[in-house]
């Protein structure tokens, strides 16, 4: 079985440093399933391709401890194991490129965090469920997916296609991320393991996929297929990915707000929760600012910033139930709107809120929804005048904030980026909030004003933006406002 990884970045042969494999040497590695070979078919300054060729020994597998099919013993000798990219190829990836997958490069450490233009090609991938499964699993991670079904027999077209596809992935991301995606998703596409699946496989899944799997919209399906449909193991993996002890695996999807009695919401402490329908927004707009719910004040602040920026197109990253999109759709100056969220359920709620099924054609052409993650580059979110991260960053693991900045400021690169997040210093003013507790169970952190300014200032400088800050809500003289807002404007020279 064969897999190639190509970089077309400047100084493309730097790929060899990241993979710890010199482009001028062919290397071989003995594995429990056979022998792996690594070599470079192409190694030029403009293009560098590394190939991983796995020679599987099916006879040795039969004699070993692999799964047996007592009902069809011939299948142990006549099968697709030597040819199809499966869990055995994932084993080879982990063995041969383990340091690269872990993000280690002592020789050139600055390369580890570099997002490179990459192409992955696997000419024979078992894809149970059809080509749409490959698209559903890889696209939310920022890959452009091309799948070509492999016919059962090219000389007999009437037989149709096999369950194998020629898979080609293109995207811009870190090499460590790309390898972790392949390690987890190749066995997931096959939906079968060629060795015993136990609790140690849960450890592997969480260790390798922990940086991105928890935010993947198909994480449940990935866990089940990767763990050979062993329900108890899949539930264990999802529970560990939840990272919150009191969250059940079935409710990892928290993008849709809980009922009022299910959580302590500081916005509800400031004032009663607000209904976001158009009529209610109009009535709320007439109320004094000091008596309006914080959620409404935050919405007003973001909309006002977008109007001042002159933006005509806006992408709402982590749009949730579509509250901001609804407000922007009511203003004709915003000609193109896109709401993005990892939660399919949240997008369904947003579609209902926006009445997408009954909107007049002219209004419907202005707004769309897409399922994706804010930590992965996605071509669909590029080309907008402005992007909004309203109460989103605090839901992202601190270790993934660099990826978020690369995806939004580096890849999508809108002219204006608006970010709002809770001010942790203000939490002491909420009597029902325990000391040291976060405002929401899914928050991974909450920043003080100094911490927020430090992070925004650093990413603004890195990606060529100028930042300014503003308070949202009543500004307490001691602990500041309940919400902090930053506006990042792309430098003209950048």
């Amino acid at each position: 079985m064969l897999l190639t990884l190509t970089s077309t970045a400047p100084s493309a042969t730097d790929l060899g440093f990241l993979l710890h494999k010199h482009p001028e040497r062919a290397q071989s590695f003995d594995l429990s399933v056979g022998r792996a070979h690594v070599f470079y078919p192409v190694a030029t300054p403009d293009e560098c391709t590394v190939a991983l060729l796995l020679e599987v020994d099916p006879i040795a597998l039969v004699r070993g401890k692999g799964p047996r099919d007592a009902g069809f013993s011939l299948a142990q000798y006549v099968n697709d194991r030597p040819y199809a990219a499966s869990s055995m190829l994932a084993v080879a990836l982990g063995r041969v490129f383990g340091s690269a997958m872990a993000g280690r490069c002592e020789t050139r450490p600055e390369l580890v965090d570099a997002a490179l233009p990459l192409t992955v090609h696997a000419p024979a991938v078992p894809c149970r469920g059809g080509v749409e499964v490959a698209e559903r699993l890889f696209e939310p991670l920022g890959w452009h997916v091309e799948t070509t079904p492999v016919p059962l027999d090219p000389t007999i077209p009437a037989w149709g296609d096999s369950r194998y596809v020629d898979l080609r992935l293109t995207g811009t991301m870190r090499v460590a991320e790309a390898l972790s995606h392949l390690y987890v998703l190749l066995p997931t596409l096959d939906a079968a393991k060629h060795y015993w699946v136990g609790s140690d496989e849960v450890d592997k899944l969480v260790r390798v996929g922990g940086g991105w799997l928890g935010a993947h919209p198909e994480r449940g399906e990935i866990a089940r297929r990767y763990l050979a449909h062993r329900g108890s193991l899949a539930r264990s993996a999802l529970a560990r990915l939840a990272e919150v002890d009191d969250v059940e695996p079935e409710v990892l999807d928290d993008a849709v707000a809980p009922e009022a009695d299910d959580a302590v919401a500081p916005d509800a402490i400031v004032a009663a929760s607000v209904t976001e329908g158009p009529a209610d927004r109009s009535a709320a707009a007439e109320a004094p600012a000091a008596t309006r719910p914080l959620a409404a004040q935050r919405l007003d602040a973001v909309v006002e910033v977008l109007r001042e920026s002159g933006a005509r197109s806006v992408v709402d990253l982590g749009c949730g139930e579509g509250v901001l999109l609804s407000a922007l759709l009511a203003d004709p100056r915003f000609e193109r709107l896109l709401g993005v969220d990892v939660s399919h359920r949240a997008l369904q709620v947003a579609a209902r809120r926006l009445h997408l099924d009954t909107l007049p054609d002219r209004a419907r052409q202005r707004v769309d929804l897409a399922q994706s993650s804010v930590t992965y580059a996605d071509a669909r979110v590029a080309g907008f005048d402005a992007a909004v991260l309203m109460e989103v960053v605090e839901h992202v693991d601190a270790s993934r904030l660099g990826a978020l900045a690369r995806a939004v400021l580096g890849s999508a690169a809108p002219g204006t980026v608006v970010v709002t997040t809770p001010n942790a210093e203000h939490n002491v003013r909420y009597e029902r909030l325990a000391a040291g507790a976060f405002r929401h169970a899914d928050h991974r952190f909450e920043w003080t004003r100094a911490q927020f300014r430090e992070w925004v200032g650093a990413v603004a400088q890195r990606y060529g933006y100028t930042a300014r800050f503003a308070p949202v809500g009543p500004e307490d003289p001691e602990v500041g406002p309940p919400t902090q807002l930053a506006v990042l404007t792309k430098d003209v020279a950048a």
Side-chain angles (χ1 to χ4, degrees):
M1 60 185 74
L2 176 69
L3 181 141
T4 61
L5 174 66
T6 299
S7 170
T8 53
S11 302
T13 51
D14 284 348
L15 183 64
F17 289 103
L18 286 165
L19 298 176
H20 302 265
K21 304 291 181 290
H22 199 289
E24 296 182 3
R25 292 179 54 201
Q27 301 182 51
S28 298
F29 304 83
D30 289 322
L31 307 174
S32 60
V33 298
R35 190 167 176 80
H37 307 277
V38 178
F39 56 95
Y40 288 78
V42 179
T44 70
D46 300 320
E47 179 180 341
C48 186
T49 297
V50 62
L52 174 61
L53 177 66
L54 178 59
E55 289 185 296
V56 173
D57 185 347
I59 305 300
L61 287 178
V62 173
R63 293 171 179 166
K65 298 181 180 180
R68 308 288 181 91
D69 184 353
F72 183 28
S73 59
L74 183 61
Q76 298 300 314
Y77 299 91
V78 182
N79 53 56
D80 65 356
R81 293 176 186 173
Y83 316 107
S86 63
S87 60
M88 286 183 284
L89 184 58
V91 170
L93 283 168
R95 168 71 172 84
V96 175
F97 298 133
S99 295
M101 194 183 306
R104 295 195 298 270
C105 183
E106 295 181 1
T107 307
R108 297 282 301 277
E110 73 278 6
L111 296 177
V112 171
D113 290 327
L116 306 179
L118 301 175
T119 299
V120 175
H121 183 215
V125 178
C127 192
R128 299 178 187 270
V131 296
E132 66 275 4
V133 176
E135 296 169 356
R136 197 166 68 243
L137 297 188
F138 279 103
E139 284 184 347
L141 300 174
W143 292 104
H144 173 69
V145 182
E146 296 180 41
T147 52
T148 304
V150 177
L152 279 170
D153 189 331
T155 64
I156 310 177
W159 284 6
D161 296 328
S162 68
R163 66 183 181 91
Y164 304 95
V165 299
D166 182 299
L167 178 66
R168 189 178 297 272
L169 309 171
T170 55
T172 301
M173 63 189 65
R174 297 186 303 121
V175 168
E177 290 175 332
L179 293 174
S180 72
H181 298 164
L182 295 170
Y183 183 89
V184 171
L185 295 183
L186 287 178
T188 300
L189 288 175
D190 190 17
K193 283 295 183 71
H194 298 92
Y195 49 83
W196 174 252
V197 175
S199 59
D200 58 331
E201 289 299 300
V202 176
D203 296 336
K204 291 180 186 178
L205 179 61
V206 173
R207 182 179 69 251
V208 178
W212 53 269
L213 182 53
H216 198 292
E218 304 295 338
R219 55 184 169 262
E221 180 180 4
I222 292 171
R224 289 189 296 274
R225 292 169 66 118
Y226 182 89
L227 297 167
H229 297 280
R230 296 190 60 185
S232 60
L233 296 181
R235 288 191 294 272
S236 174
L238 290 173
R240 290 173 60 179
L241 289 167
E243 298 184 356
V244 180
D245 291 341
D246 59 350
V247 175
E248 294 295 327
E250 293 78 4
V251 293
L252 276 171
D253 181 355
D254 58 28
V256 176
E259 296 296 328
D261 293 335
D262 292 341
V264 176
D267 288 357
I269 297 171
V270 175
S273 61
V274 64
T275 303
E276 300 286 358
D280 296 303
R281 279 201 305 274
S282 299
E286 298 174 0
T291 64
R292 300 190 64 211
L294 179 58
Q297 296 183 54
R298 183 166 53 233
L299 179 66
D300 290 349
V302 171
V303 172
E304 186 58 30
V305 168
L306 293 173
R307 288 170 176 163
E308 291 175 355
S309 74
R312 294 293 182 179
S313 59
V314 180
V315 55
D316 185 6
L317 301 169
C319 66
E321 300 179 26
V323 174
L324 175 60
L325 291 172
S326 180
L328 297 179
L329 188 60
D331 190 334
R333 78 184 74 192
F334 300 109
E335 300 168 351
R336 180 183 171 214
L337 303 170
L338 175 66
V340 174
D341 207 286
V342 298
S343 167
H344 178 68
R345 185 161 61 98
L347 293 174
Q348 288 179 320
V349 175
R352 290 195 297 269
R353 176 188 295 278
L354 296 168
H355 304 288
L356 294 187
D357 56 339
T358 59
L359 275 178
D361 290 344
R362 188 169 181 177
R364 182 65 185 87
Q365 292 171 3
R366 292 170 51 213
V367 61
D368 206 354
L369 301 173
Q371 191 173 33
S372 187
S373 169
V374 296
T375 58
Y376 292 96
D378 188 332
R380 294 173 297 180
V381 306
F384 285 82
D385 297 334
V388 177
L389 291 159
M390 189 168 72
E391 306 301 285
V392 169
V393 295
E394 65 273 10
H395 291 270
V396 177
D397 289 326
S399 63
R400 301 295 295 156
L401 289 174
L404 180 149
R406 283 193 300 273
V408 178
L409 302 176
S411 180
T416 301
V417 179
V418 185
V419 185
T420 74
T421 192
N423 170 21
E425 298 167 83
H426 198 93
N427 288 354
V428 296
R429 296 294 186 255
Y430 301 130
E431 297 179 357
R432 293 170 52 193
L433 196 64
F438 291 155
R439 302 188 190 183
H440 190 283
D442 186 63
H443 285 185
R444 310 306 169 91
F445 60 86
E446 289 179 1
W447 276 326
T448 64
R449 286 168 290 178
Q451 290 169 328
F452 182 52
R453 287 173 176 264
E454 179 182 3
W455 179 77
V456 169
V459 297
Q461 182 179 21
R462 184 176 308 133
Y463 294 102
Y465 284 78
T466 299
R468 64 179 176 89
F469 301 86
V472 177
E475 187 159 13
D476 188 293
E478 296 180 0
V479 297
T483 295
Q484 41 194 341
L485 179 147
V487 182
L488 293 85
T489 305
K490 189 75 172 174
D491 295 335
V492 176

